[in-house]
Amino acid sequence: ENAENMYFFSDLALTLNEPEERVAPTDSRLRPDQRLMESGRWDEANAEKQRLEEKQRAVRRRREAEAVEALEEGKDYEGYIPLWFERKVDAVTGELICVYKGGYWEAKEKQDWSTCPDIF
C-alpha cells in the first residue's frame, strides 16, 4: 500500500533504519550524522559526517603507528579485533568469512557495553 510514495521499498527495507532501544552504542542506527540528515538538518549532518570521518582516520593513523612501533621493537601487533565476530576460512568455499563468536546478546541482556569502542 502506498508503495509508489515509498520508492517501492518493501516494509522491511523501510524499517531497517528505525531506531531501537537498548542496542550497542556502536549500532549504525545511532550515527549522529544520519539522525541529523533524517531530521532534514543537512548542514549539521554534513559537519557531523566530516567529524566522524576524521575521528575514524585518526584511529587508523594511531593503529598504523602502533603497528610500526611494534615492528621496530620486534613485537607482534594484533591490530583491530572485532568484538562479536571472528574471521575464519569457509570449509566449502575456502573464502575468508566473518562468523559470530558470541557475546552481543549477553551484553544486550545485561546492558553492559563497556567493551564497545567510542566510534561516534
Side-chain angles (χ1 to χ4, degrees):
E1 184 178 329
N2 204 24
E4 66 279 358
N5 294 327
M6 300 296 181
Y7 307 101
F8 294 96
F9 287 166
S10 67
D11 288 338
L12 173 65
L14 289 170
T15 59
L16 280 175
N17 204 37
E18 288 294 316
E20 180 183 328
E21 305 248 337
R22 303 174 51 86
V23 295
T26 54
D27 191 295
S28 65
R29 293 171 289 183
L30 300 177
R31 280 182 43 186
D33 60 322
Q34 186 172 288
R35 300 271 69 102
L36 289 165
M37 182 190 68
E38 290 174 350
S39 299
R41 297 162 60 185
W42 296 102
D43 291 339
E44 292 172 77
N46 285 326
E48 183 62 14
K49 182 175 183 236
Q50 293 297 320
R51 184 191 70 79
L52 289 174
E53 288 173 347
E54 184 49 44
K55 185 174 184 175
Q56 291 169 353
R57 287 184 198 102
V59 169
R60 185 191 71 229
R61 287 190 297 264
R62 180 181 48 80
R63 285 190 184 132
E64 288 171 350
E66 288 172 354
V68 168
E69 183 178 319
L71 181 64
E72 289 172 350
E73 295 175 2
K75 297 179 181 176
D76 288 333
Y77 180 73
E78 290 188 33
Y80 175 73
I81 301 171
L83 292 177
W84 298 302
F85 293 88
E86 59 188 343
R87 291 183 175 152
K88 291 189 172 186
V89 175
D90 185 282
V92 176
T93 66
E95 293 180 6
L96 193 60
I97 60 172
C98 293
V99 178
Y100 178 65
K101 66 180 179 182
Y104 175 81
W105 299 109
E106 295 80 4
K108 185 173 183 179
E109 175 72 26
K110 295 176 188 173
Q111 283 297 286
D112 177 9
W113 305 115
S114 58
T115 59
C116 289
D118 174 21
I119 64 170
F120 302 131

